[in-house]
Amino acid sequence: MRVLTKSKFKLGLECPNKLYYTGKKAYANVKKEDSFLEALAQGGFQVEELARMHYPNGILVEGEAGEYENVYNQTKELLKQENVIIYEAAFLVDGFFIRTDILVKKGDSIKLIEVKSKSFDPEDEFLLIGKRGGIVSTWKPYLFDVAFQKHVMQLCYPNWSIESYLMLADKTKKASIDGLNQLFRINKTKENRTGISKKVSTLEETGSSILGLKKVTDIVKEIESDKFEYAKGLNFTESISKFNELYQKDQYAKWPTSFTSCKNCEFRTSVEDKNMGLKSGFEECFIKQHNWTEEEFNKPNILDIYSFRRGNKLFQEGVLFKSELSEDLIGLKIEADKLTTSHRQWLQIEKEVEDDSSIYVDKDALIQEMKFWKFPLHFIDFETSAAALPFNKNIKPYEQTAFQFSHHIFNNDGSIEHATEYINSQAGEFPNFEFTRELKKALENDNGTIFRYSNHENSILNAIYCQLHDSEEVDKKELMDFIESISHSTRNSAFAWTGNRDMVDLWDVEKKYYYNPLTKGSNSLKKVLPASLQKSKHLKSKYSRPIGEINITSKNFSSEKIWLEIKEGLIINPYDQLPPVFDNWSEEDIENTLSDIENIANGGAALTAYSKLQYTDMTDFERKELEKSLLKYCELDTLAMVMLYEHFVEITTS
């Protein structure tokens, strides 16, 4: 039975053409469908269980995937009661199928409650509807989802009066007990459908709830009346009927291609996919709609241009290839002391069109920058998580948790030490303050320059600073002073400081002075590292030998480890040499699948593995093996920064 579920409805809203390609094994798909992985990474299963405790004595409708009629028939029987609470109520009608998180029935008055692990501020008057009167883009998928559910329920029961709600993590509330996030765990031995083990039976046992309801009845009605479009030319009424017809007939929509949708299309093929005989939905769209041949597919197009805000307009005007662009069209601005965004874009365009793989570097500016760096040089990387349900009393939803760091030192004599590392994966422990103490021990012994890569580490230290301020830790002033010394306050902080040893952002240095065409415009360290290795004679010569021979110490790899591997003349990305941190999922798999999760690009595999360590009952052996993988991953992050530094030295001294 082909049914249009709410997940397929949301997929169609992204691009109606995707409805034709989804679920077909013949087509490549970089997004693996795994709702459990997403729930694990975001703590969604915990929020759902806590939400149900707000509505006790509910009845769970259970059934295997694809048993549409079975679960709908169960729901119909339950709905014969005058008053009833149902978890996972199912509705099947006219080719539509939905399941609601929580349904509260009192006669013909119905509460439809959609539970999300997303956070909200109930006092924000522009939370859902922006100042210009439109739905805030980040909330559109959730609100159209609720509208779809309400529509299907109303088709089944026309006489119902339905009120719609979102139940969310309220970021203005604080947990009133310790260990809230450990009250709901995944137990592999459990025989129930979800595998969730609850340590409490009443809401009162969880303390004052950190969840809140947001009534969205009126917005849902406005969506149903087509006041709001999801995208240009795509309103609710049209999407409901069109998507259902397309999916039932298994028909290609021929929805117009667009810059944003096509740029983020998951139905694209890699070289490996093509070797496996998988087809590309992306390519089929451009063949059908633009008559592209192999020649066009081999021409550099505009879809991968870094941070290209003008892309939508140009795409609509029919400008699809980099060779069609000019300095005026991209709005090129050149500044003397740094690479602007538009200048980086123009370098990417020029070098691809001219098939020029040489790197660009503002050598004089880079030399000037490096003059201020003091030995020994320290390279640090944090791994963090943000849980929907807090670890400790007086902590708000999604406050940052810093559970791991790695630290390399580059000495003046050229020796490199993997000097220190820290990890705390113990379930239920709040590691931030001990993390800061260990970081302080690692960095306080000299006045050498400290490097991070991107703004993440600075933001995390700001968050810990505020947590310390509100804490009763006996050494909080000492720790806050340390944070002040190596960081700077963020724009919206209630406190203001700039440390005398403020960390240098190597990501910012790379963005300002260096462009490597092999990165395809990306500034991610996972892209910059293999691109630098490919271009650097020094790095190739050095890292093609075992680390025990090149004056480098390691805490997680043997002295025989060789980081540089070449296959068919191309560098194998060192990150691809690491075993998967989370089951058999690569970092790229996780980031593609969980792309909607905030900060997933800041170590998605580590975040997901940490979530597994926190919420899943496992053996000590499993825990230790997972920790080993995390330690290797984080060590490579800081070693990669060291390699980039060495590459910059090579460039500025040659």
Side-chain angles (χ1 to χ4, degrees), residues 50 187 266 353 493 594 597:
L50 180 58
N187 187 329
E266 60 265 42
V353 170
S493 175
L594 306 182
I597 295 180

Side-chain angles (χ1 to χ4, degrees), residues 261-272:
S261 293
C262 296
K263 181 183 182 71
N264 298 314
C265 181
E266 60 265 42
F267 299 102
R268 304 176 81 156
T269 48
S270 64
V271 173
E272 291 80 6

Side-chain angles (χ1 to χ4, degrees), residues 257-284:
T257 55
S258 71
F259 181 80
T260 302
S261 293
C262 296
K263 181 183 182 71
N264 298 314
C265 181
E266 60 265 42
F267 299 102
R268 304 176 81 156
T269 48
S270 64
V271 173
E272 291 80 6
D273 291 331
K274 289 182 178 179
N275 290 339
M276 293 169 60
L278 294 175
K279 295 191 286 187
S280 167
F282 170 85
E283 289 186 8
E284 285 191 8

Side-chain angles (χ1 to χ4, degrees), residues 28-32 265-268 273 588-589 592-593:
N29 186 346
V30 300
K31 290 186 178 181
K32 298 181 181 180
C265 181
E266 60 265 42
F267 299 102
R268 304 176 81 156
D273 291 331
E588 189 173 9
D589 286 339
N592 284 331
T593 302

Side-chain angles (χ1 to χ4, degrees), residues 19 48 59 75 101 124 127 158 207 225 262 320 324 352 384 392 397 416 488 490 549 577 591 632 641 646:
L19 290 171
E48 183 178 47
I59 302 166
T75 301
D101 290 333
D124 183 356
L127 177 73
S225 68
C262 296
L320 305 183
E324 300 173 290
E352 282 198 59
T384 63
N392 283 44
I416 300 168
H488 62 266
T490 54
E549 296 180 9
Q577 299 177 32
E591 290 184 10
K632 288 180 178 180
M641 294 166 65
E646 291 181 280

Side-chain angles (χ1 to χ4, degrees), residues 302-321:
I302 71 171
L303 294 174
D304 65 354
I305 298 176
Y306 164 80
S307 191
F308 196 34
R309 294 184 180 179
R310 297 191 177 204
N312 276 316
K313 182 175 183 294
L314 290 170
F315 194 98
Q316 289 170 8
E317 293 171 353
V319 179
L320 305 183
F321 298 104

Side-chain angles (χ1 to χ4, degrees), residues 203-252:
L203 183 63
E204 287 69 28
E205 293 174 85
T206 69
S208 56
S209 179
I210 53 87
L211 302 184
L213 274 180
K214 182 69 175 178
K215 190 173 183 178
V216 295
T217 303
D218 291 341
I219 298 177
V220 165
K221 287 179 180 177
E222 290 176 325
I223 290 172
E224 289 182 298
S225 68
D226 295 332
K227 177 178 177 180
F228 301 110
E229 289 186 324
Y230 190 88
K232 189 174 182 180
L234 192 62
N235 59 38
F236 184 76
T237 302
E238 180 184 16
S239 61
I240 283 282
S241 58
K242 188 177 185 69
F243 294 176
N244 197 27
E245 179 184 4
L246 288 168
Y247 194 68
Q248 298 306 322
K249 293 181 179 179
D250 193 19
Q251 191 175 58
Y252 176 70

